[in-house]
Amino acid sequence: MRASYIRVMDRLQWLCVAWCSLAIVAMTVMIFTGVVMRYVFETGARFAEPMSIFFAVQLAMYGAAACYRTNAHLRLMVVVNLLPERLGYLVDHLVQLMLGAVAVAMIYYGTSLARTTWFQAYPEFEYIRVGTVYAAIPISGVIFLLFVIERFLFGQQGLDAEAEELKRAIAQTEIEQARESAD
């Protein structure tokens, strides 16, 4: 079960990264097209801004989930590394529980936001609903929650789990050396 769950999470992470890559390319093309249309052809590209916003929301939500899984997010481990190992372990698990609560809030409130805005349309696109943009919040919340569950049950996984273990070992060695030199 462990190996299959981790394999599914690897694929889910790959999908998040692929979707974010597509979103960056699409945003770049949309903004470039809008600028060229405005300054070269002296006519605005009405679709550029709302589509860029759509892709920016996608990038932020799915990118946050992928960054969490690979530990590529901003975090402060100085305090946790200075704690005794057992207490640091408890603090890390408390943080994971809090992140799980954030994921549940993303699912609950994101679903509410998507439902509320589902029937609103962009003036530029009658066929794209505003709710489809915000649907990324609860969907990424589900993905984020799955990644939190994975970390809680199986520890750090993802593309750089071994590198993270190496960093932790180096930090622990540095702390021990600092304590020895202080004595």
Side-chain angles (χ1 to χ4, degrees), residues 162-173:
E162 294 172 11
E164 186 62 32
E165 287 179 32
L166 181 61
K167 285 181 196 175
R168 193 171 296 131
I170 291 170
Q172 187 64 33
T173 303

Side-chain angles (χ1 to χ4, degrees), residues 9 12-13 16 62 65-66 138-148:
M9 294 301 105
L12 198 53
Q13 178 187 347
C16 287
Y62 296 113
I139 294 169
S140 67
V142 169
I143 295 169
F144 187 58
L145 184 60
L146 290 171
F147 290 162
V148 169

Side-chain angles (χ1 to χ4, degrees), residues 39-57:
Y39 292 106
V40 174
F41 298 107
E42 296 180 2
T43 181
R46 294 180 15 189
F47 63 88
E49 185 178 342
M51 288 304 289
S52 294
I53 291 170
F54 171 80
F55 286 117
V57 171

